[in-house]
Amino acid sequence: MLVRAFETADVPAMRDIWNEVVRAENAFPQVGELKSDEAEKFFAAQSFSGVAVDDDGRVLGLCIVHPNNIGRCGVIANASYAVASAARGKGAGEALVRESLRKAKELGFRVMQFNAVVASNSAAIRLYEKIGFEPLGTVPGAYRHNDGTFEDIRLFCFDLTKL
């Protein structure tokens, strides 16, 4: 599986995958979906936006990498990942996470920190733990679902200097 920087031609598939995850309400903090006219600008504004593609060039998933903070804490990266539901379980997520770590280090970040991994997102949590992310703790009831219920989020970090 190839993970590469996104291209303009990838944007419609990226937007569709991103919006699928937003609608599922179990991973992203965003409430509204990306509109066609804002998607490319959003992905281009990141420090890195990449796509996982199959042998036929179909986009299976995406990642975005950007600073988690500014100034003295600007060495901390953050990332988001989205894999099309039809492509899950085929290694795209792991390929995207591993490439985002490599890319974040290349961009000069020292740490990758996840601020809001929804506690019920067990597949993501298993993957992060497999790759070597360290759990930082739990924030109780910090993720609001559309139905008004709340769920815990978990925080993780990865020391990029060890890559």
Side-chain angles (χ1 to χ4, degrees), residues 76-123:
I76 304 170
N78 185 268
S80 295
Y81 311 95
V83 175
S85 58
R88 292 182 189 151
K90 299 177 182 175
E94 183 169 349
L96 287 161
V97 173
R98 290 188 185 281
E99 178 61 14
S100 74
L101 294 173
R102 188 196 67 72
K103 193 64 177 177
K105 182 174 183 174
E106 179 184 298
L107 291 167
F109 293 106
R110 296 178 51 84
V111 175
M112 176 73 74
Q113 179 176 317
F114 297 153
N115 305 319
V117 180
V118 180
S120 63
N121 192 347
S122 57

Side-chain angles (χ1 to χ4, degrees), residues 49-94:
S49 289
V51 291
V53 296
D54 66 12
D55 292 339
D56 295 325
R58 284 187 301 259
V59 176
L60 305 176
L62 66 103
C63 66
I64 61 171
V65 176
H66 50 86
N68 190 53
N69 214 314
I70 60 169
R72 297 179 198 281
C73 295
V75 296
I76 304 170
N78 185 268
S80 295
Y81 311 95
V83 175
S85 58
R88 292 182 189 151
K90 299 177 182 175
E94 183 169 349

